[in-house]
Each structure stands twice: as C-alpha cells, then as structure tokens.
Amino acid sequence: MTAQLLTTFSSEINSAKLPKHVAVIMDGNGRWAKQRGLPRIEGHRRGANTLKEMLRYCKDLGIETLTAYAFSTENWGRPTGEVNFLMGLFERLLQKELREMEEEDVCINFIGDLSPLPASLQDEMRRSIERTKNNQGVFFNVAINYGSRHEMIKACQAIAEKVQQGELASNEIDESTISQHLYTSSSPDPDLLIRTSGEMRLSNFLLWQLAYSEIYVTDTLWPDFDSEQFDLAIESFQQRDRRFGKVKK
Ligand code: FPP
C-alpha cells in the first residue's frame, strides 16, 4: 500500500505509520505557573485545556487510544489544597465536558484504584463511562490514583486467588495472563510514551505496558504542549526502528 501523507497535519506525518496508542505523562504544570508568578493550580487548569486539545487532535489524526496520567498514588503527598483542587477539577471537567465527549464520539475509561476518591467524583466517573461506553471515535483512558506497582500487586493477588481456587495452574501463567489482570486489559500496549518537562523517568506509570513503547521526552511544559509539539513527537516515533528485541531481516 502506498503511504499517504495527511495534508491537514504536518506534512512530515505518515498516516500509514501512526501510533495506535499514545500515553502521556503531563508534567510541568506547577513550573509553568511558577514561571508566570501564578499559583500552581493555574498550571493544572491550563493543563486540563491542553489535554482536551490533545484528545481532539488524536481523534482528528486517527490515533485510536490516548492514556493520560492525571493523578498518581504518590500525588496524595502534595499539599491538601492542591489535592482538593485537583479532585474538584476532575469532577468539574467531567460534568462540563460530558456532552462534548458524547458528541465527539469519545469513549472514556479510568484506570487506577478509584475507591479512595471522593464519592461525588466517583459518581461523575461512573456516569461518564456509562454515557460514552458505545462510542468508538477515540478511546480515552484517564489514570487517577494510578500506580503501576499497586496495579501489579492487585493482578498477582487476583491470579493467586484463581490458582488457589483451582481455576488456573501456575504453569499456565504467561504474559497474556498478567496483561488480562491489569486495569488496561482492554487496550493494546502504548506504542508511544510522551513525557513533558524534560524529566527522564517513568514515575510508576504503566511499567508492564511500556515494555516496548517508544519514549519521547520534550522540555516543553505540559500547558505549552500543542499540536505542533505533538506532530514532532509523532515524527520522532515514525523515524524509530521498532525491533521488539529482534534483529531486522
Ligand atoms: C503534573 O504537573 C500534573 C499533574 C499531577 C496533574 C495533571 C492533571 C491535569 C492536567 C488535569 C487533567 C484532567 C482530567 C479530567 C483528566 P506537576 O504539578 O507535577 O508540575 P511540576 O513538576 O512543574 O510541579
């Protein structure tokens, strides 16, 4: 098949070689605010706009799944005012954006341990999952109270329980058994991980799922990450030689 070049996006992007699943660590909101003499929460507010733009751009480009790291299991250690602001922001955004997500054919899902989140936020999450569950335009996973090590512990416990109940033999456990017991069981592994603000860390994000993902780190702070920056990430991805540990024939 001849590779087509999209005309509406960067002419360098090859539409036949798009990543199917992009994961993002949205870092640098606090620094963006500090640089402007603003409170940190302004950075988060602005970061939420960026995420919305990225989701729309993924859909327009034809990227099937976007997974965004919104709140880690470690983020509870932030000042109480910031944690409360973030919980309120998530809830307000879900209320405000639900209609648009329905119209834009977005299917939203959440990954993480949702049980300690405020009850009113959990209600909004359930409502948005229910109302968008049949949408197919773009799959949007939001990681809230997510930690990869915690996810793996939960998976091990669930698998051990099945072995104990005689539903599974220990020598039947393989990669797909593990994958099926993670929060991400319904998504393929990310092809591309983008991290903003220059930090070279995975920060307990999708440690199993990112095993063969291409990693793109940019110094741009998340609130400044725009479609042109996204194009650069895709172009970089398309130049990579993905061998998955094998030798090219
Ligand atoms: C990291 O920047 C950002 C966060 C912990 C919050 C990200 C949340 C959003 C962008 C809102 C998303 C909304 C929904 C509904 C998914 P940081 O505070 O660690 O920045 P710093 O490293 O500069 O301090």
Side-chain angles (χ1 to χ4, degrees):
M1 196 175 83
T2 320
Q4 280 183 343
L5 288 175
L6 286 175
T7 47
T8 41
F9 306 103
S10 161
S11 59
E12 303 299 320
I13 291 184
N14 179 344
S15 62
K17 275 180 69 181
L18 285 172
K20 285 190 167 54
H21 182 175
V22 175
V24 278
I25 301 180
M26 311 180 284
D27 200 9
N29 291 349
R31 273 162 286 170
W32 181 92
K34 194 170 173 212
Q35 283 173 2
R36 287 158 181 79
L38 297 169
R40 291 175 56 82
I41 58 171
E42 279 308 317
H44 296 316
R45 225 192 292 271
R46 191 54 191 259
N49 282 344
T50 302
L51 182 57
K52 190 177 159 188
E53 295 301 319
M54 281 311 103
L55 181 62
R56 179 173 294 130
Y57 196 59
C58 280
K59 190 192 160 206
D60 292 349
L61 208 51
I63 289 168
E64 290 165 19
T65 306
L66 177 69
T67 299
Y69 203 6
F71 193 88
S72 73
T73 45
E74 290 72 32
N75 285 156
W76 295 106
R78 292 185 174 213
T80 315
E82 184 172 340
V83 170
N84 290 344
F85 174 83
L86 282 168
M87 295 299 147
L89 178 69
F90 298 150
E91 192 174 324
R92 283 193 302 280
L93 282 170
L94 291 177
Q95 281 164 350
K96 194 160 100 45
E97 304 297 339
L98 180 56
R99 183 186 294 265
E100 202 170 321
M101 287 196 288
E102 286 181 288
E103 285 166 9
E104 296 267 339
D105 207 17
V106 174
C107 175
I108 194 168
N109 203 3
F110 299 93
I111 59 171
D113 177 6
L114 308 183
S115 57
L117 301 177
S120 53
L121 173 56
Q122 291 188 44
D123 288 345
E124 285 304 328
M125 289 168 141
R126 276 190 285 271
R127 194 161 77 101
S128 56
I129 292 171
E130 181 57 31
R131 294 261 291 269
T132 65
K133 67 179 182 201
N134 296 321
N135 291 351
Q136 302 272 323
V138 60
F139 294 95
F140 181 34
N141 299 319
V142 185
I144 298 189
N145 193 27
Y146 175 85
S148 193
R149 288 185 173 184
H150 177 77
E151 177 186 38
M152 287 195 233
I153 291 168
K154 299 292 283 178
C156 289
Q157 288 171 342
I159 294 166
E161 182 68 25
K162 285 185 182 167
V163 173
Q164 209 167 29
Q165 297 298 322
E167 293 169 32
L168 190 68
S170 59
N171 63 2
E172 284 171 351
I173 299 170
D174 59 12
E175 288 194 12
S176 73
T177 319
I178 311 282
S179 296
Q180 281 158 22
H181 286 82
L182 300 175
Y183 295 123
T184 49
S185 58
S186 57
S187 301
D189 289 341
D191 302 294
L192 171 64
L193 170 73
I194 298 173
R195 180 163 191 155
T196 55
S197 93
E199 309 288 354
M200 303 283 185
R201 289 191 287 277
L202 292 180
S203 298
N204 203 12
F205 188 46
L206 303 176
L207 301 180
W208 173 274
Q209 299 87 335
L210 292 171
Y212 286 102
S213 309
E214 297 298 326
I215 300 178
Y216 179 84
V217 177
T218 171
D219 285 337
T220 303
L221 304 178
W222 177 251
D224 289 330
F225 191 81
D226 58 15
S227 56
E228 281 175 28
Q229 304 277 329
F230 197 79
D231 285 347
L232 293 177
I234 305 285
E235 284 165 30
S236 169
F237 169 81
Q238 293 189 332
Q239 283 157 17
R240 311 281 178 93
D241 181 17
R242 301 188 80 194
R243 295 187 300 275
F244 301 92
K246 303 185 179 86
V247 175
K248 264 238 156 98
K249 287 178 195 142

